[in-house]
Amino acid sequence: MRLGNATSSGSRGVSRSWKQRVLGLTAAALVLPVTAGIAGGVATASPIHGAPVLSAPSGGFEELIVPSGMGPIKVQVQWAARGGNAALYLLDGLRARNDRNAWSFETNALQQFAGDNVTLVMPVGGQSSFYSDWYAPSNFNGQKTTYKWETFLTKELPAFLANYGVSPTNNAIAGLSMGGSAALTLAAYHRDQFKAAAAYSGYLNISAPGMREAIRIAMLDAGRFNVDSMWGPPWSPNWLRNDPFVFAPKLKGLPLYISAASGLPGPYDRPTSALGVYNTANGMALEALALVNTRAFQIRLATLGVPARFEFPAAGTHSWKYWEAELFKSRDMFLDVLNAR
């Protein structure tokens, strides 16, 4: 889907009716291609390193190549300012790129945490993956490798980062849209790894009327991926396993930050071209859908007695500058939980 300024450096880095309305909105919103944040120049990357060094870097930005069952995966990291062992994983959206994680260049996330004792971990790739372990490669687009993102993010990557002094158990996770749903899923099923989670504009009620069909259409649009290769047919239990509304009881006791805006244009929505107008309208529809999902999820948590911080900005569309603001608002939660100040 879509997002300040990237920081790059050399080796070891020195830069620091209601149901009908929901169904109609679901299909209309997710069928639209999300184009914002795809354009933009490519930042100069720092050298890529694949060999662990058994030390904890203090500050700086680096790109690592991490071995996995999917093949080598690029991971962008900003090391903890004072060599601390905490890590915050930042997950991308549906149209995740293969060259950079959008948190690294569409937001000021690097600057937000530059002085903090927490490593930002930004995996690259995973378009339309929901950061899940899939059943099989997508047979619609010639995908050659089966996505195994949950395995990568909860086993292979933390084991690799441990060689750099990053704890596999002192982590938090956040994401937007597709990544927001995935952040809650990974935190719910891997409580030994993740101590807090945040979902910005996530789709948190996947079993709601029309949502499964809409996800199918959206994934076809974003890379021609077949959703049946991910969670199986709509009646497969894996759909329920990955629905935050369903697994919500597993989140009890976990510090949570959940947000979605109204979908009304806000201060970052000032289109100056026909394409800009189209993108704004698209972002309005997607955010309105996320809001419906998030409100339902809020009621679900309240019914279960699971506390969480919910934020509903009066204005804002499905776009990166709003997620940048939400990351900043949840920053204190992460630093406190991870003891990373």
Side-chain angles (χ1 to χ4, degrees):
M1 298 199 178
R2 13 183 212 224
L3 286 222
N5 297 328
T7 303
S8 21
S9 67
S11 173
R12 281 269 170 255
V14 290
S15 62
R16 296 283 235 202
S17 86
W18 182 248
K19 287 186 179 179
Q20 290 175 320
R21 288 183 62 198
V22 172
L23 180 57
L25 178 60
T26 298
L30 285 184
V31 73
L32 291 170
V34 182
T35 56
I38 294 175
V42 177
T44 301
S46 42
I48 294 173
H49 305 277
V53 293
L54 299 175
S55 65
S58 296
F61 179 87
E62 199 164 356
E63 292 186 337
L64 309 173
I65 294 297
V66 182
S68 84
M70 298 180 285
I73 301 293
K74 182 192 288 188
V75 178
Q76 297 177 296
V77 295
Q78 177 172 272
W79 300 109
R82 292 172 296 285
N85 72 356
L88 172 59
Y89 287 53
L90 296 176
L91 303 183
D92 216 324
L94 194 72
R95 292 176 183 268
R97 296 164 42 145
N98 288 323
D99 59 344
R100 294 179 294 170
N101 181 307
W103 283 107
S104 72
F105 69 95
E106 292 279 17
T107 75
N108 65 1
L110 300 180
Q111 289 84 354
Q112 283 189 34
F113 290 90
D116 298 318
N117 209 20
V118 59
T119 293
L120 297 186
V121 178
M122 296 164 284
V124 176
Q127 183 182 37
S128 287
S129 68
F130 277 82
Y131 294 102
S132 289
D133 282 359
W134 285 34
Y135 285 123
S138 173
N139 57 344
F140 288 176
N141 58 5
Q143 186 181 23
K144 304 216 180 325
T145 303
T146 303
Y147 274 150
K148 294 293 180 182
W149 278 97
E150 182 169 350
T151 294
F152 177 68
L153 293 170
T154 62
K155 293 179 180 175
E156 296 163 338
L157 179 55
F160 186 89
L161 291 175
N163 292 302
Y164 290 85
V166 177
S167 170
T169 59
N170 192 29
N171 303 160
I173 190 166
L176 68 303
S177 197
M178 172 191 87
S181 309
L184 296 188
T185 303
L186 295 171
Y189 290 103
H190 300 278
R191 295 289 296 270
D192 57 333
Q193 179 179 1
F194 297 111
K195 293 184 174 181
Y200 317 120
S201 308
Y203 297 109
L204 311 181
N205 189 13
I206 290 172
S207 300
M211 279 300 297
R212 297 185 185 192
E213 295 81 1
I215 289 173
R216 178 182 298 275
I217 294 169
M219 288 173 56
L220 284 170
D221 184 66
R224 296 180 60 243
F225 285 91
N226 180 6
V227 72
D228 292 339
S229 299
M230 179 171 71
W231 294 335
W235 54 87
S236 168
N238 217 18
W239 280 88
L240 300 178
R241 193 254 182 197
N242 287 280
D243 185 349
F245 194 91
V246 174
F247 66 66
K250 292 182 175 293
L251 297 169
K252 191 165 190 177
L254 188 75
L256 298 170
Y257 183 100
I258 316 289
S259 68
S262 66
L264 298 175
Y268 302 115
D269 299 296
R270 295 203 164 91
T272 57
S273 65
L275 179 60
V277 171
Y278 174 80
N279 286 339
T280 297
N282 186 25
M284 291 171 64
L286 288 164
E287 193 65 16
L289 177 59
L291 176 62
V292 170
N293 272 245
T294 302
R295 285 292 190 186
F297 188 67
Q298 181 185 32
I299 295 170
R300 170 73 165 152
L301 290 191
T303 302
L304 293 169
V306 177
R309 178 181 171 183
F310 282 88
E311 291 289 333
F312 299 101
T317 59
H318 209 69
S319 53
W320 280 103
K321 296 307 287 184
Y322 298 107
W323 299 322
E324 173 185 289
E326 293 305 303
L327 176 65
F328 185 76
K329 289 196 291 188
S330 53
R331 176 174 166 272
D332 283 342
M333 177 187 77
F334 294 131
L335 296 179
D336 289 342
V337 168
L338 299 174
N339 192 26
R341 292 190 178 276

